[in-house]
Amino acid sequence: MASRAAARSFARSAASAARAPIASRVLAAAPRFAARAAAPAVFSSSIQQSRGIKTLNFGGSQEKVYERSDWPKEKLLDYFKNDTIAVLGYGPQGHGQGLNLRDNGLNVIVGVRKDGRSWKKAVAEGWVPGKNLFSIEEAADKGNIVFNLLSDAAQRDLWPTIKPFITPGKTLYFSHGFAITYKDQTHVEAPQGVDVVLCAPKGSGATLRTLFLEGKGLNSSIAVFQDVSGKAHERVVALGVAIGSGYLYETTFEKEVYSDLVGERGILMGAINGLFRAQYDVLRAQGHSPSEAFNETVEEATQSLIPLIGAKGMDWMYANCSVTAQRGALDWHQKFYDASLPVFKDLYESVKNGSETKRALDKNSQADYRESLEVELEEIRASEIWRAGETVRSLRPENNKK
């Protein structure tokens, strides 16, 4: 119910904005917040352009960001004209980044286990054995920019195989701070004479690829762990654009992996699944039908309210819902904050002290991991909430087109 008023308001706002001149759109973006007299001054001073780098105001803190427009395709092609980018691994990130690099016209090769599942997938997507598809060792040897996009466990297990090919003058690239940060567990250490950089898309490789094909892009974080050439920062910014990032912001290897692991286990995947289940189970226990419980728990969130938050923010979504919904959300959100804050603190500490990564590495290294994972996923798939969801999704108008 709450989403209906918000959706109508959003549609009216979008239609009005489309008809209005640009200057009017800026002033009309949040009319009910007109009392915030300081806003225009903040806006005028929050962006400083210098050599293609923008310093933006993020909630009162100044941060540098780098945009795709700073590196047009012609500039990328010239910058990397003498380079061979070797993408090791063809999982979600290797697949998405490799294809985007290829479509941007860069000289890119892929390294995977010969005749394995990833090899066959790469061949099906146009990579040619002996031309731009090689074994991991061959690709690591041929590339002067080596993307280590293997799984975290594989990075640990295959590092002795890869390390001899990461010779002075090369660039070693990661999309996760895991291997370097937890080197006591992975035994992956930055080789001497090598630039070591990171570009971490804030989403799956599949999403990175899809948005790239749509002319959009995922935001990515970048970091430099070791700068031997003096050009590591410039190079990772260029690489971040080349893989299809929307904008890039700065971090460190350690901060990237801490925030990433907390996010995955927290609100992005673990916490949201737990909250969905808890609310659904309460509604079902009180006699609500599966259809009603799913719609009020998952469907309205994913199809209506979360997109509105993404478009204009939490406050805007609240302001454009019914008064009853507003009051309830504002009164109850603090209780959920208080209940979850200790859990998030425990989660962060487990990530920071390495116990979380040890458990993940141990589990992922088991010979029967894929089989045991399928058992866990089947348990989710077979649960009532997600079986109900399958039926609900099938009834969406876009899924019923003749």
Side-chain angles (χ1 to χ4, degrees):
M1 178 66 73
S3 65
R4 297 175 192 168
R8 287 194 294 270
S9 181
F10 182 74
R12 289 194 298 269
S13 174
S16 177
R19 294 191 297 268
I22 292 176
S24 299
R25 292 181 212 171
V26 172
L27 294 174
R32 64 186 180 284
F33 302 125
R36 300 177 186 177
V42 171
F43 179 79
S44 65
S45 64
S46 65
I47 301 179
Q48 301 167 2
Q49 186 82 36
S50 175
R51 299 186 305 280
I53 302 171
K54 291 183 176 66
T55 300
L56 303 182
N57 185 317
F58 288 83
S61 297
Q62 300 293 318
E63 296 184 37
K64 288 182 180 178
V65 298
Y66 308 83
E67 295 186 291
R68 183 181 293 178
S69 58
D70 301 333
W71 285 87
K73 187 173 181 179
E74 297 74 17
K75 184 177 177 180
L76 287 174
L77 291 174
D78 182 66
Y79 188 81
F80 292 113
K81 62 185 177 183
N82 297 319
D83 295 309
T84 297
I85 300 173
V87 175
L88 307 185
Y90 206 65
Q93 287 298 335
H95 165 264
Q97 295 190 35
L99 289 176
N100 291 355
L101 288 165
R102 188 176 73 180
D103 285 357
N104 267 329
L106 275 61
N107 181 25
V108 55
I109 62 177
V110 169
V112 292
R113 182 170 57 86
K114 190 172 182 179
D115 296 326
R117 183 170 55 181
S118 293
W119 179 281
K120 294 174 182 177
K121 180 180 179 181
V123 169
E125 293 182 336
W127 301 94
V128 181
K131 179 182 178 182
N132 53 21
L133 178 60
F134 302 93
S135 68
I136 291 174
E137 296 89 338
E138 287 179 290
D141 185 34
K142 291 177 180 293
N144 66 303
I145 300 176
V146 179
F147 278 41
N148 193 344
L149 300 182
L150 298 162
S151 70
D152 294 323
Q155 287 189 27
R156 177 196 61 184
D157 296 341
L158 293 177
W159 181 241
T161 301
I162 296 169
K163 183 178 179 180
F165 301 104
I166 311 301
T167 52
K170 289 191 175 186
T171 295
L172 180 59
Y173 168 110
F174 295 90
S175 280
H176 201 9
F178 192 106
I180 292 291
T181 300
Y182 299 106
K183 62 182 181 180
D184 58 322
Q185 297 180 32
T186 65
H187 309 296
V188 177
E189 298 205 38
Q192 293 184 350
V194 172
D195 286 349
V196 180
V197 301
L198 171 148
C199 179
K202 299 300 105 181
S204 73
T207 307
L208 181 74
R209 177 62 176 165
T210 299
L211 293 179
F212 175 84
L213 292 174
E214 294 174 353
K216 304 174 184 177
L218 280 178
N219 302 330
S220 299
S221 59
I222 56 171
V224 174
F225 185 82
Q226 186 167 282
D227 185 3
V228 174
S229 69
K231 297 181 179 179
H233 188 275
E234 176 184 73
R235 186 172 295 117
V236 75
V237 170
L239 289 169
V241 173
I243 67 167
S245 301
Y247 83 83
L248 305 159
Y249 64 92
E250 296 178 336
T251 186
T252 66
F253 273 62
E254 183 177 83
K255 288 180 179 177
E256 188 282 328
V257 71
Y258 287 0
S259 60
D260 184 77
L261 295 183
V262 169
E264 291 169 348
R265 286 145 181 79
I267 200 67
L268 301 178
M269 297 173 68
I272 197 170
N273 187 26
L275 288 171
F276 280 160
R277 285 178 55 208
Q279 178 169 304
Y280 182 90
D281 287 351
V282 167
L283 291 173
R284 290 289 290 124
Q286 294 298 320
H288 297 267
S289 69
S291 175
E292 183 169 59
F294 187 87
N295 271 282
E296 295 292 356
T297 300
V298 180
E299 191 75 351
E300 186 168 353
T302 60
Q303 298 302 298
S304 179
L305 297 180
I306 291 176
L308 295 181
I309 297 168
K312 290 199 171 185
M314 183 70 74
D315 63 323
W316 190 91
M317 187 270 285
Y318 276 8
N320 288 280
C321 287
S322 69
V323 174
T324 302
Q326 289 171 357
R327 193 67 267 144
L330 290 168
D331 290 347
W332 274 88
H333 95 275
Q334 188 65 41
K335 294 182 180 181
F336 284 105
Y337 176 88
D338 293 341
S340 62
L341 185 61
V343 179
F344 279 102
K345 287 182 176 180
D346 289 345
L347 170 57
Y348 194 94
E349 182 56 33
S350 73
V351 168
K352 187 175 181 179
N353 65 30
S355 59
E356 185 66 29
T357 52
K358 184 179 186 304
R359 182 169 65 253
L361 283 172
D362 290 346
K363 186 72 173 179
N364 297 349
S365 299
Q366 293 175 3
D368 65 345
Y369 175 70
R370 290 188 182 278
E371 291 76 13
S372 63
L373 172 64
E374 182 53 35
V375 171
E376 292 179 285
L377 295 180
E378 178 57 30
E379 184 178 345
I380 295 173
R381 190 181 303 121
S383 64
E384 186 189 89
I385 180 174
W386 297 112
R387 285 189 288 113
E390 184 177 4
T391 304
V392 171
R393 289 192 297 275
S394 73
L395 293 170
R396 293 175 188 164
E398 66 270 22
N399 293 332
N400 276 289
K401 294 179 180 179
K402 299 296 184 181

